[in-house]
Amino acid sequence: IDILSSGINAEYGGDKPHMVTYKVNLDECGPMVLDALMKIKNEQDPTLTFRRSCREGICGSCSMNIGGTNTLACISRIDPDTSKTIKIYPLPHMYVVKDLVPDMTHFFEQYASVQPWLQRDEEIDYGKEQLHQTVEDRKKLDGLYECILCACCSTSCPSYWWNSDKYLGPAVLLQSYRWLADSRDHKTKERLEKLADPFSVYRCHTIMNCTKTCPKGLNPGKAIAEIKKLMAKTL
């Protein structure tokens, strides 16, 4: 397994980013890439740094670039063909904190900017009673609420690489549409007005890397197209 090390710890290979090769006995390791990373950290290099939490493809913590594809280490199987080397990098076009840990600060600031919570015209006592939806309205949220904010899609998008300071990116726009599509939310026009500039949404050029790489099988490209349709219709 070749892993890009940030080179912060000089004891294990210098002070510049470089590839470090580790050999793992697959007979003594679990089937997933995350299992191998944990085995390396426990037995070979305690300085190897990566995020992980649930190990079930739910938390989105262990997103990284494995074999040229952005995915989750916990659901990415190790190729049993030992003649092939697995190459692992941090998510592309992100500042790196250390080794496989990208700085997600800007990503989550963009997420907060779309106000990802339910907004109503009238004050309600949350928790006192349910806000009901029809079965049809609830189905509109399928393929949206499952997003785990792993950033695999955004960091695979060339438009986000070039304009991440102003373009919100596939993951955040998918989350934005999740609330635009929710029949219980009353701030559709206000949400769309905040996106109505040349960069926030319209830097999407339907390259569709986002949909191809999503480890949850979601379609951010379609959500962005729906936002554009709503803007054309509403504003």
Side-chain angles (χ1 to χ4, degrees):
I1 298 178
D2 285 348
I3 300 175
L4 183 64
S5 168
S6 60
I8 292 175
N9 193 317
E11 180 183 352
Y12 286 88
D15 58 358
K16 293 182 179 180
H18 57 280
M19 298 300 290
V20 178
T21 299
Y22 302 93
K23 291 187 177 181
V24 177
N25 186 343
L26 298 184
D27 292 331
E28 300 174 355
C29 179
M32 302 300 178
V33 171
L34 183 61
D35 295 318
L37 291 174
M38 294 175 71
K39 186 174 179 64
I40 291 168
K41 185 174 180 68
N42 291 337
E43 300 177 5
Q44 298 184 45
D45 183 357
T47 71
L48 178 63
T49 306
F50 53 91
R51 292 189 178 106
R52 88 289 183 273
S53 184
C54 73
R55 224 180 76 168
E56 298 290 342
I58 297 297
C59 71
S61 298
C62 64
S63 53
M64 56 190 72
N65 185 281
I66 302 172
T69 300
N70 292 351
T71 187
L72 302 175
C74 64
I75 60 173
S76 180
R77 282 192 166 272
I78 300 172
D79 190 336
D81 184 354
T82 55
S83 67
K84 298 179 181 178
T85 300
I86 302 173
K87 294 186 180 294
I88 306 176
Y89 301 85
L91 290 176
H93 294 267
M94 301 275 275
Y95 290 107
V96 176
V97 179
K98 187 176 186 296
D99 296 342
L100 301 176
V101 177
D103 186 348
M104 302 285 279
T105 304
H106 179 62
F107 176 80
F108 282 112
E109 285 175 349
Q110 289 181 314
Y111 175 54
S113 74
V114 300
Q115 299 182 346
W117 57 82
L118 190 68
Q119 298 181 42
R120 306 274 293 180
D121 287 335
E122 73 280 0
E123 288 292 327
I124 61 173
D125 186 4
Y126 289 102
K128 186 175 181 180
E129 61 183 53
Q130 296 183 20
L131 296 175
H132 295 287
Q133 283 183 299
T134 64
V135 174
E136 291 74 20
D137 283 340
R138 171 58 186 80
K139 283 184 178 178
K140 293 177 182 177
L141 304 183
D142 289 341
L144 303 174
Y145 76 89
E146 299 97 329
C147 174
I148 57 176
L149 293 170
C150 63
C152 284
C153 62
S154 291
T155 55
S156 73
C157 173
S159 294
Y160 192 72
W161 300 343
W162 304 326
N163 300 291
S164 60
D165 56 331
K166 292 181 281 188
Y167 173 49
L168 293 179
V172 171
L173 290 173
L174 178 79
Q175 290 286 341
S176 177
Y177 184 63
R178 178 257 176 272
W179 295 103
L180 288 167
D182 196 322
S183 61
R184 299 166 296 178
D185 190 274
H186 293 164
K187 299 296 182 180
T188 300
K189 188 170 186 295
E190 291 83 350
R191 291 182 186 276
L192 291 173
E193 286 173 346
K194 290 180 180 179
L195 301 175
D197 63 68
F199 280 90
S200 292
V201 177
Y202 287 104
R203 289 307 94 185
C204 171
H205 299 304
T206 58
I207 299 169
M208 303 304 287
N209 282 4
C210 55
T211 300
K212 183 178 180 180
T213 200
C214 177
K216 302 295 287 185
L218 308 182
N219 192 342
K222 181 181 178 182
I224 295 172
E226 293 296 337
I227 292 176
K228 291 177 180 177
K229 286 164 60 178
L230 274 176
M231 294 176 77
K233 181 180 179 180
T234 306
L235 300 182

